Amino acid sequence: MLGIFSWRRLHGKDDHRVSITAASIRGEVRNRVWDYLQLAAISTVMIWAGLSLFFGGVYRRSVLANNINVYVVDLDGGAVGTNVTRMVLDTAVTPSTPVWLQNHDLNSVDAVKAWVQHSGWGALVVNPGASARLESALAGADHYNASAAMTLIESTGRQVVAEMLYVSSALTTTAQAVARQYAQIQVTNFQATDDPAQQQPNYAALINPVGFVTVDVAPAGFTMSPVMSTFGYLAILLSIIGVLIMWKMTSFPFFARVRFCDLALMWPVLLLGLALVLSLYQALAFLAFRGPNFNSQALTYTTATFFKFWFTGTAVAFSLGLWLFNWFLHLTPQLMALPSICTVIPNVLSTVSTFELAPKFYRIMYAMPFYNGSSLILYILTGAHPTIGRNVGVLVAEIVAMTALLTLSIWIRQICVLRGISDAHGWFHGSRYYHSHIPYYKDVRADAEHQAESLPPRRAGVEIVDYDDDGVSLTTGNLGV
């Protein structure tokens, strides 16, 4: 089989060909060089568009962390609660750390947990009875559990990356600083008493008066949680792009011969079928490779979880497929990568960051299919931050809008094909790459006008042919009556 590449089979084949430096093709070479320079310019715009969208959304993340609020909740009401709350609120505010506020409306640890799971980023709770337990230990009680003084409540399922980088670290760092500061103050006060030797406190409570435990009310700590939806949806999107380009390049006969209403129905149905298949593969992959620690670090995976995962991916893929196909139908080949880049980068960014950590322009992430799909998936898997109505509403609205826009795009594309304005690959009339067997409509009109002008002029009036042999004449008025 490799014999077909043998030079012996090519002997004499190049005899009629010329060198690339030959004068006969110098004009063609000049045109190609100009085209390649244009491609280089377009590629420059594309790469900077992608880089600007990504780095613009993340480069100020570390100085916008104070857009996130975390809360201290005093359920103790005693000396421990008052002192800890004061220490927390006195924490120095920097751009790279969340802002501490106090919440006075919650009255139990369970209420705080429910609030954090539903809408909060995190909270430090001074547990009820913390002051009484510490006073008892300092008075000589044998048993004291310092970790019962505070509870750190977080919700990694809200936004995994932001929770890990900023919220969780802020809660832990602040709690540790408070514990050290409280211990120093307490030891200093003990040493300042009149006769410390006569007191017999619990020295463990004296040295370590307050500790903490951490509770994750919506855990998303399983192995692949930070990148799960990002790379799953990215794989689907990249797979769809290849199919859409192929459909664009091979759909010319359909636009030339098939009715508009059939095309307007066919493409959305095909896109929906493709989205269903690709998102099914994503759901199956997550089912098989979600990680050995999934059930201990997220909600239990059930049959319903699989179908929710599948259909959420379908909605994301379908909306993105409709959006990109609208662009592909009208763009020339050298520009088709631009909407892909400007679609992929913001969507990926919306899942690895959050709008609180980005400039205001990036509030557009609310509309990104990746963001809404990822939020739904995290809620399905962890129960955190339920925004189902908004996420589903955005996806459905985008699908409806993109379907309507695709209908218009198909109508425009068919007109361009039937009138010879664009060819199969999307080149427009006037481009050196344009090639269509359908004549350009202005040329057809010009030919028709030219043919009309070349015809002999018609004589005005009516010519009467009169046969005299029948005795009837229209000329003389003899009608034979």
Side-chain angles (χ1 to χ4, degrees):
M1 180 178 178
L2 295 178
I4 61 175
F5 300 105
S6 172
W7 282 107
R8 290 177 300 174
R9 293 181 177 271
L10 299 177
H11 179 69
K13 299 294 185 181
D14 275 352
D15 293 345
H16 64 285
R17 297 187 176 96
V18 298
S19 170
I20 196 170
T21 59
S24 59
I25 64 167
R26 190 167 297 165
E28 191 67 25
V29 171
R30 188 182 302 111
N31 290 336
R32 292 299 174 267
V33 170
W34 175 245
D35 290 341
Y36 297 158
L37 290 176
Q38 288 181 323
L39 286 175
I42 293 172
S43 298
T44 301
V45 173
M46 290 181 185
I47 186 64
W48 279 111
L51 293 175
S52 300
L53 285 170
F54 178 76
F55 288 110
V58 299
Y59 91 105
R60 287 178 55 83
R61 185 167 61 182
S62 61
V63 297
L64 294 175
N66 52 18
N67 289 335
I68 295 176
N69 296 328
V70 287
Y71 289 81
V72 57
V73 182
D74 180 12
L75 300 180
D76 173 53
V80 172
T82 301
N83 290 329
V84 168
T85 300
R86 177 180 53 79
M87 293 176 187
V88 170
L89 295 179
D90 288 344
T91 302
V93 178
T94 65
S96 59
T97 58
V99 174
W100 282 99
L101 302 173
Q102 186 174 4
N103 190 308
H104 301 277
D105 300 326
L106 304 172
N107 53 19
S108 69
V109 175
D110 290 338
V112 179
K113 290 180 180 179
W115 174 77
V116 170
Q117 182 178 14
H118 186 271
S119 57
W121 282 99
L124 185 155
V125 180
V126 184
N127 295 326
S131 296
R133 289 190 295 271
L134 180 59
E135 290 174 2
S136 176
L138 293 177
D142 293 333
H143 178 72
Y144 179 70
N145 181 13
S147 61
M150 297 184 294
T151 301
L152 308 184
I153 302 176
E154 59 184 19
S155 174
T156 54
R158 173 167 181 169
Q159 215 289 333
V160 182
V161 176
E163 284 280 351
M164 290 191 304
L165 290 179
Y166 300 103
V167 178
S168 181
S169 61
L171 290 172
T172 303
T173 301
T174 302
Q176 291 172 344
V178 166
R180 289 192 299 268
Q181 186 177 356
Y182 205 105
Q184 292 172 355
I185 294 175
Q186 189 162 265
V187 170
T188 300
N189 292 337
F190 176 76
Q191 292 174 343
T193 56
D194 295 335
D195 190 3
Q198 293 182 359
Q199 301 183 25
Q200 298 296 324
N202 184 323
Y203 288 101
L206 179 65
I207 298 173
N208 184 24
V210 292
F212 61 89
V213 293
T214 301
V215 177
D216 192 345
V217 293
F222 54 95
T223 307
M224 55 191 298
S225 60
V227 297
M228 168 197 60
S229 57
T230 304
F231 285 94
Y233 293 149
L234 181 60
I236 292 176
L237 179 56
L238 295 179
S239 301
I240 286 178
I241 288 175
V243 176
L244 295 181
I245 293 175
M246 188 64 182
W247 284 354
K248 160 69 180 290
M249 299 299 182
T250 60
S251 61
F252 189 85
F254 288 113
F255 286 106
R257 303 177 61 184
V258 179
R259 296 181 305 176
F260 162 73
C261 58
D262 294 342
L263 295 176
L265 178 63
M266 179 184 72
W267 293 121
V269 171
L270 288 176
L271 278 169
L272 178 59
L274 179 64
L276 280 167
V277 172
L278 295 178
S279 58
L280 173 62
Y281 297 155
Q282 181 203 20
L284 290 172
F286 181 74
L287 174 63
F289 301 106
R290 61 187 182 274
N293 62 340
F294 176 84
N295 287 333
S296 61
Q297 297 294 328
L299 299 180
T300 303
Y301 196 96
T302 64
T303 303
T305 304
F306 173 82
F307 284 101
K308 292 175 183 177
F309 202 103
W310 178 14
F311 294 136
T312 300
T314 299
V316 172
F318 189 33
S319 61
L320 287 171
L322 291 168
W323 162 256
L324 287 176
F325 200 44
N326 274 293
W327 286 101
F328 289 174
L329 281 177
H330 305 296
L331 292 178
T332 53
Q334 81 270 33
L335 296 175
M336 291 177 68
L338 183 59
S340 302
I341 292 174
C342 294
T343 298
V344 170
I345 298 300
N347 273 279
V348 170
L349 180 63
S350 70
T351 62
V352 299
S353 185
T354 180
F355 69 86
E356 286 92 347
L357 303 176
K360 292 183 179 180
F361 168 78
Y362 288 89
R363 303 292 170 89
I364 61 171
M365 290 193 293
Y366 273 130
M368 295 295 107
F370 273 32
Y371 169 79
N372 290 282
S374 178
S375 298
L376 286 172
I377 292 301
L378 286 173
Y379 172 71
I380 292 168
L381 299 180
T382 68
H385 197 54
T387 54
I388 304 175
R390 184 180 68 194
N391 301 139
V392 173
V394 170
L395 288 173
V396 171
E398 288 176 343
I399 289 173
V400 172
M402 290 303 105
T403 302
L405 186 60
L406 181 60
T407 303
L408 178 61
S409 295
I410 291 171
W411 179 68
I412 295 174
R413 171 65 172 161
Q414 189 166 39
I415 289 178
C416 291
V417 168
L418 295 177
R419 294 189 176 185
I421 298 174
S422 64
D423 64 5
H425 295 157
W427 297 109
F428 290 97
H429 184 270
S431 169
R432 64 171 57 97
Y433 299 111
Y434 172 83
H435 178 74
S436 176
H437 67 275
I438 299 177
Y440 185 49
Y441 75 103
K442 289 186 178 180
D443 295 340
V444 173
R445 185 183 303 168
D447 291 342
E449 292 175 355
H450 177 72
Q451 291 177 4
E453 292 174 356
S454 64
L455 292 176
R458 296 181 179 179
R459 292 181 296 175
V462 179
E463 181 180 358
I464 300 176
V465 179
D466 197 358
Y467 295 92
D468 295 335
D469 55 354
D470 58 1
V472 177
S473 173
L474 293 174
T475 305
T476 61
N478 180 17
L479 301 180
V481 179

